[in-house]
Amino acid sequence: TPTCEPETPLCCRRDHYVDFQELGWRDWILQPEGYQLNYCSGQCPPHLAGSPGIAASFHSAVFSLLKANNPWPLGTSCCVPTARRPLSLLYLDRDGNVVKTDVPDMVVEACGCS
Amino acid sequence: AQGAGSACPSCGGPTPAPQAERALVLELAKQQILEGLHLTSRPRITHPPPQAALARALRRLQPGSVAPANGEEVISFATITGPSTSACSSVLTFHLSTAQSHHLYHARLWLHVFPTLPGTLYLRIFRWSPGSGHQGSRTLLAEHQTTAPGWHALTLSSSGLRGEESPVLKLQLNCRLLEGNTTSAQQPRQLLDTAGDQRPFLELKIRPSEPGAGRARRR
């Protein structure tokens, strides 16, 4: 998946680091200090819609099935996450306990046109 | 949706202004984390554990242990109450509201024994359930004996801890010296360190209860 460049209009992954300090959440999230909140943005022209090279994933297969079986408005192909990974968090709950858990689907790794 | 006349940026609409985009991303991050943790709002921490105690507890855990999918590992620090300080008996109270509706599969209690241990220390841990009568009911969770000072990890019977509906877990700690004739002279807090950075803590590993698990077991 291409990482977005300023001049890239097409579907790409926009990398964005969120610092928990910036959210004012460092008092209860112990680790990590922040995380990579990537998201997908950009245009999906018709020739890229459902393109296997761009979005070869379970998600794109589902979108293709939906398109095949349902009336799908023209030009509604979207730039969507096609691969995600979990994020491990160590945080304090409201009772002051330390909790370590993996939160699924937190970090977008790849984007593609639906 | 960005408002009238514009479309979703992911579908090729106009990109919002950088400032607006940043605010949007931060709000998205907050919502994503809260949803991922099944919280409706950020926890307000009124009594955070002391940093030193926290650091010590984290160092005591198994290195590299990873929570299983959707599972959690919890460290809970004890609040100590002693119905009697003349006997080696204390009640350790833990507040575990996050562990409701989860399946507990591992529980260890960490205790710190004073360096000046004069003999063999014999420990018994009970789950304390206040019930009818003066005593309530007790379930034995672990027995342990040691001559070594320092930190000790007592594996608790997870089956003995299951079925706890209350978010407050009370463990009764009984200890005595097996050797020497110093039991009566030893105060409990001289055998076990239950204050400050050496507070006892509970290490739990839990995973979400599988729907239909009971049905599968019955089959």
Side-chain angles (χ1 to χ4, degrees):
Chain A
T1 301
T3 305
C4 294
E5 300 289 340
E7 67 278 8
T8 311
L10 295 181
C11 179
C12 56
R13 190 188 71 211
R14 199 168 288 275
D15 293 348
H16 192 103
Y17 182 79
V18 173
D19 192 328
F20 292 140
Q21 190 79 49
E22 202 175 356
L23 299 183
W25 282 9
R26 282 304 304 278
D27 62 327
W28 71 280
I29 298 184
L30 306 173
Q31 283 291 332
E33 293 178 357
Y35 81 112
Q36 199 70 35
L37 186 152
N38 305 330
Y39 58 99
C40 305
S41 74
Q43 296 166 5
C44 281
H47 71 281
L48 288 182
S51 169
I54 296 290
S57 73
F58 171 75
H59 298 81
S60 61
V62 171
F63 272 111
S64 298
L65 275 172
L66 280 169
K67 283 180 180 178
N69 293 294
N70 294 288
W72 193 270
L74 195 66
T76 52
S77 175
C78 287
C79 182
V80 292
T82 56
R84 300 166 184 254
R85 64 179 166 82
L87 176 73
S88 279
L89 281 177
L90 191 69
Y91 69 97
L92 291 172
D93 70 10
R94 62 187 166 93
D95 298 313
N97 300 319
V98 185
V99 182
K100 179 177 142 188
T101 190
D102 286 344
V103 185
D105 297 336
M106 283 288 280
V107 179
V108 171
E109 289 204 304
C111 301
C113 291
S114 60
Chain B
Q2 300 300 302
S6 63
C8 165
S10 291
C11 297
T15 306
Q19 204 62 26
E21 186 177 23
R22 182 149 194 83
L24 189 68
V25 167
L26 291 181
E27 192 54 39
L28 180 69
K30 286 182 177 180
Q31 287 181 20
Q32 189 183 29
I33 293 166
L34 292 176
E35 279 177 24
L37 297 176
H38 309 292
L39 300 173
T40 51
S41 61
R42 55 147 298 164
R44 298 287 166 193
I45 316 297
T46 49
H47 301 291
Q51 283 292 321
L54 190 58
R56 278 175 195 276
L58 292 172
R59 277 200 298 270
R60 294 287 156 202
L61 303 185
Q62 292 163 354
S65 66
V66 176
N70 299 321
E72 288 181 356
E73 292 178 38
V74 179
I75 301 171
S76 184
F77 290 93
T79 308
I80 317 290
T81 51
S84 164
T85 53
S86 59
C88 188
S89 174
S90 301
V91 174
L92 312 179
T93 304
F94 301 91
H95 295 268
L96 297 166
S97 53
T98 57
Q100 303 300 295
S101 79
H102 280 65
H103 176 75
L104 173 72
Y105 67 95
H106 177 85
R108 285 199 300 183
L109 179 66
W110 288 82
L111 295 166
H112 190 259
V113 177
F114 262 115
T116 54
L117 186 64
T120 301
L121 180 66
Y122 177 60
L123 285 161
R124 285 195 300 172
I125 311 293
F126 297 91
R127 188 178 109 188
W128 171 261
S129 304
S132 57
H134 297 295
Q135 298 298 318
S137 63
R138 298 194 313 175
T139 308
L140 181 64
L141 297 178
E143 285 180 288
H144 183 68
Q145 65 182 52
T146 182
T147 55
W151 283 99
H152 289 265
L154 281 68
T155 300
L156 307 183
S157 158
S158 50
S159 60
L161 284 171
R162 278 181 209 140
E164 184 63 61
E165 295 298 323
S166 165
V168 178
L169 173 67
K170 286 181 185 289
L171 300 182
Q172 189 174 29
L173 171 66
N174 283 14
C175 63
R176 64 188 169 93
L177 285 170
L178 291 181
E179 296 165 13
N181 192 27
T182 52
T183 308
S184 59
Q186 291 290 326
Q187 296 299 311
R189 287 172 210 281
Q190 292 174 306
L191 296 174
L192 287 171
D193 195 353
T194 57
D197 296 348
Q198 320 286 13
R199 279 168 75 187
F201 64 92
L202 193 59
E203 175 197 353
L204 300 173
K205 291 185 181 181
I206 53 183
R207 57 173 174 253
S209 296
E210 295 167 22
R215 194 166 60 242
R217 271 198 300 275
R218 281 197 298 278
R219 280 182 190 162

